[in-house]
Amino acid sequence: MTTLKESLVTGQHGAERLKGAAFAKARPPVGSMRRRLDDYFLMSRRGSDISTEIRAGTTAFLAASNNFVVNAHIMQHAGIDPSVSVISGAFSAAFTCILCGLLSNLPLGLVPSVGPNVFLAFSLVAKGVVNTDQALAISGATGIMLLFLSLTPVLKVVLGLVPLCIKYGLIM
């Protein structure tokens, strides 16, 4: 029985696992840039190639890009210029997706979500609890805390405290 991580690494799920190497594609020539990319990202082993990965990544990024516009509309209620919000959301998403792909070698899309922005704009700023600068500072501090948790063993302890049924519900 393969684990989820193993199936993500091999790129084979369900019935594909039974067929094994039937999905493997021919490898690019030795010494080429394509071969180096293939060796690093294991594309031919997963039954893929560079053009397929570029199309898949572009499609996933564009599918998630509606969040940029929705977030800009929400953050406009907190006094942030929508064009700045769209550009910063797209830049941060592109940066984190590329960084995640390079460091983890997993096809994960990371884009700013709508939920925290709704909380900041409507629960904190609109009700006068904090101003826009303070709300952005809260958001930045939260990001730094999450980075700290992910780089230390503290994350395993914290996730160990979350019941399994909640993990499944939140897809943690």
Side-chain angles (χ1 to χ4, degrees):
M1 176 98 188
T2 55
T3 65
L4 176 61
K5 186 171 183 179
E6 289 170 346
S7 65
L8 284 172
V9 169
T10 62
Q12 296 178 344
H13 309 283
E16 293 177 5
R17 242 182 279 135
L18 300 175
K19 295 179 183 176
F23 285 91
K25 292 193 174 192
R27 296 190 67 202
V30 176
S32 69
M33 177 60 105
R34 288 182 181 205
R35 178 67 175 257
R36 285 183 286 209
L37 288 171
D38 183 63
D39 288 343
Y40 183 78
F41 292 110
L42 308 172
M43 288 182 277
S44 61
R45 187 171 145 198
R46 295 175 177 164
S48 186
D49 57 24
I50 292 173
S51 63
T52 301
E53 293 299 319
I54 289 173
R55 283 193 314 269
T58 303
T59 302
F61 187 81
L62 291 176
S65 65
N66 68 341
N67 278 10
F68 308 146
V69 177
V70 173
N71 279 332
H73 181 69
I74 291 168
M75 295 309 285
Q76 185 177 12
H77 294 284
I80 297 176
D81 181 26
S83 61
V84 170
S85 184
V86 168
I87 292 169
S88 62
F91 177 76
S92 66
F95 178 76
T96 56
C97 286
I98 291 168
L99 188 65
C100 179
L102 291 174
L103 296 178
S104 72
N105 200 4
L106 293 174
L108 301 175
L110 304 169
V111 295
S113 65
V114 176
N117 290 336
V118 169
F119 175 72
L120 288 174
F122 297 116
S123 296
L124 297 180
V125 176
K127 292 185 178 181
V129 176
V130 296
N131 63 32
T132 303
D133 293 336
Q134 292 169 331
L136 292 175
I138 291 169
S139 179
T142 304
I144 291 169
M145 288 187 327
L146 290 173
L147 178 64
F148 171 76
L149 284 174
S150 65
L151 295 176
T152 63
V154 176
L155 182 63
K156 287 187 178 184
V157 173
V158 171
L159 289 179
L161 299 173
V162 178
L164 192 59
C165 60
I166 294 178
K167 286 180 185 178
Y168 286 143
L170 295 175
I171 311 173
M172 291 175 68

